[in-house]
Amino acid sequence: MDMVISKEQQELKALALKLGVDLIGFCKNGDQQTPLAPNLTNAVSIALKYTDSILESIETAPSYAYFHAYRTLNTYLDNIAYRLARAIEKMGYNAFPVAASQSQGKNAPYNGVVPHKTYAVKSGLGFVGKSGLFISKEYGSKVRLATILTDMPLIPEQPIIENGCGNCELCVKACPAGAIYGELPTTNGERNFSAEKCSEYMKKHFQDVGRGSVCGICIKVCPKNKLK
Ligand code: SF4
Ligand code: SF4
């Protein structure tokens, strides 16, 4: 990709890496604009990786270690997103850090405040798999995401990559809820799995771990995870 990255964008990236992000990408917000910050038309996508050992602890049910890591990564991402937003403000622009895990509330309980996965895809960090999970180039599905919306001029550094699921159906077969249908994501942003079935199953069967809010089986089985 032929591009000239501004010194400010380079500084922001260097700060994010110093703060510990595993992945960072940049994109134009475009039609994904949120009413929360309608004038912030660019986005920074950041990701943190679960350790391999944490994911190994998931078997036919989530482990307490995985649930704790899920919350730890959310908090860690929120902290980094806020620090990056403040750094952007100090450069003279507006910035809106979006929490890693925050739904739109009662009216849309399965939709995040902004679609973190869409921003990560547009930033060239990976693709959305048949599982509905974001699959990063480097670490497969072993990541969590957050986003910073901004009016700082940003140039995407990496091209958007194609879906890489191919004929794989491991997540379809492994999902105990039957929530993954084996469909590729559409370009109109419609969900390609049932968040309702997933949530109902977790609430019913994994209430003792994380109050039924985590599972992790489809994350663990994905062959795009390059376990060392
Ligand atoms: S988190 Fe569990 S229940 Fe939900 S889609 Fe993945 S495997 Fe299925
Ligand atoms: S398990 Fe296979 S089909 Fe499911 S997201 Fe991963 S690569 Fe795609």
Side-chain angles (χ1 to χ4, degrees), residues 96-134:
F96 190 108
V98 186
S101 180
Q102 187 176 27
S103 84
Q104 291 180 17
K106 277 188 199 159
N107 294 335
Y110 304 120
N111 290 344
V113 173
V114 302
H116 294 302
K117 291 182 278 189
T118 303
Y119 295 123
V121 170
K122 286 166 111 179
S123 299
L125 297 179
F127 62 90
V128 174
K130 291 176 188 172
S131 58
L133 294 168
F134 174 71

Side-chain angles (χ1 to χ4, degrees), residues 12 17 27 35 58 69 86 102 106 138 143 149 205 209 219 223:
L12 188 67
L17 293 171
C27 68
I58 301 169
R86 283 290 296 124
Q102 187 176 27
K106 277 188 199 159
E138 279 86 353
V143 293
L149 304 174
H205 296 275
V209 182
I219 297 180

Side-chain angles (χ1 to χ4, degrees), residues 131 171 174-180 193-194 197-199 201-202 206 214-219:
S131 58
C171 57
C175 175
I180 304 173
F193 76 106
S194 171
K197 278 190 180 178
C198 168
S199 178
Y201 188 91
M202 291 192 296
F206 303 145
V214 293
C215 165
I217 293 170
C218 51
I219 297 180

